[in-house]
Amino acid sequence: MAARKTNYVGEVVNQQRHGYGTYVYPNGFFRYEGDWDTGRKHGHGKLSMKDGSYYEGEFIRGEIEGRGLRYWAKTGDSYSGEFQKGELHGFGVLQRASGERYEGQFCCGHREGNGSLTDTDGHAYQGSFHKNKRHGEGHIHYRNGDQYEGDWLLDRKQGQGVLHCVDGSLYDDT
């Protein structure tokens, strides 16, 4: 009789993964090492992908849920913060390999709510976001020293605002 191949090494209770263990998924792309509860990932663990990407942090009843770190090997981007049902959700820091950095609120994987963004040109924005775009009230400090404070609509200055230029000039749309 051929030996049965197992993809799991670890603690078992009532013939279910329970406690600490390592499981390699049948497709060979995913590997989980961490805490288990009645057959589901639960507690702290690391889900690794064959391409070098991974998530390390909290799991609840099989879902990526709570605080953790996500790294995407293909882009070199990383996120450290809160997750809900596997999505960036709550407060976190998204660091892009390009140098862009966002720190603030996320909802369903998007920048949503208040946050600060430093883009690849070195411009620093603090304010409101909606669906990844600057939207609502915000303040931007440009790399050359100019500053704009006012309203934004889908990543564009819109409505009332004041632009303070380094040369001392002032443009007021209020």
Side-chain angles (χ1 to χ4, degrees):
M1 178 154 56
R4 184 174 164 216
K5 184 182 176 202
T6 180
N7 295 334
Y8 177 74
V9 176
E11 298 174 70
V12 174
V13 173
N14 295 327
Q15 299 183 335
Q16 291 188 322
R17 296 183 284 267
H18 192 87
Y20 189 85
T22 302
Y23 178 71
V24 178
Y25 287 73
N27 65 12
F29 188 78
F30 297 103
R31 177 183 188 273
Y32 174 78
E33 182 174 353
D35 298 324
W36 295 87
D37 183 23
T38 57
R40 294 190 285 193
K41 300 178 290 288
H42 190 84
H44 185 84
K46 183 173 184 179
L47 181 64
S48 304
M49 286 131 250
K50 201 171 196 169
D51 69 354
S53 300
Y54 65 88
Y55 166 80
E56 184 169 6
E58 298 173 4
F59 290 82
I60 297 177
R61 294 181 297 282
E63 288 281 349
I64 293 173
E65 191 89 28
R67 294 201 49 79
L69 171 67
R70 176 77 165 91
Y71 172 74
W72 294 268
K74 185 175 182 179
T75 61
D77 298 345
S78 66
Y79 170 82
S80 176
E82 298 174 284
F83 290 82
Q84 187 176 54
K85 295 183 181 173
E87 294 280 350
L88 288 59
H89 192 90
F91 183 83
V93 177
L94 178 63
Q95 180 68 54
R96 302 256 186 220
S98 65
E100 180 181 283
R101 183 178 193 274
Y102 172 78
E103 182 173 345
Q105 295 294 318
F106 287 85
C107 182
C108 303
H110 298 287
R111 295 183 301 228
E112 187 78 32
N114 290 315
S116 61
L117 172 69
T118 302
D119 66 21
T120 56
D121 294 325
H123 307 311
Y125 171 84
Q126 286 191 298
S128 187
F129 287 83
H130 179 63
K131 293 186 180 177
N132 283 331
K133 308 238 186 245
R134 295 171 289 193
H135 189 84
E137 292 183 24
H139 177 264
I140 190 164
H141 184 95
Y142 294 99
R143 193 176 63 195
N144 70 358
D146 292 351
Q147 295 183 54
Y148 171 78
E149 186 169 359
D151 297 333
W152 294 78
L153 180 66
L154 301 175
D155 252 359
R156 297 179 183 261
K157 293 181 276 255
Q158 178 79 26
Q160 297 183 347
V162 178
L163 177 64
H164 298 271
C165 297
V166 172
D167 66 9
S169 56
L170 176 76
Y171 299 91
D172 189 343
D173 263 353
T174 58

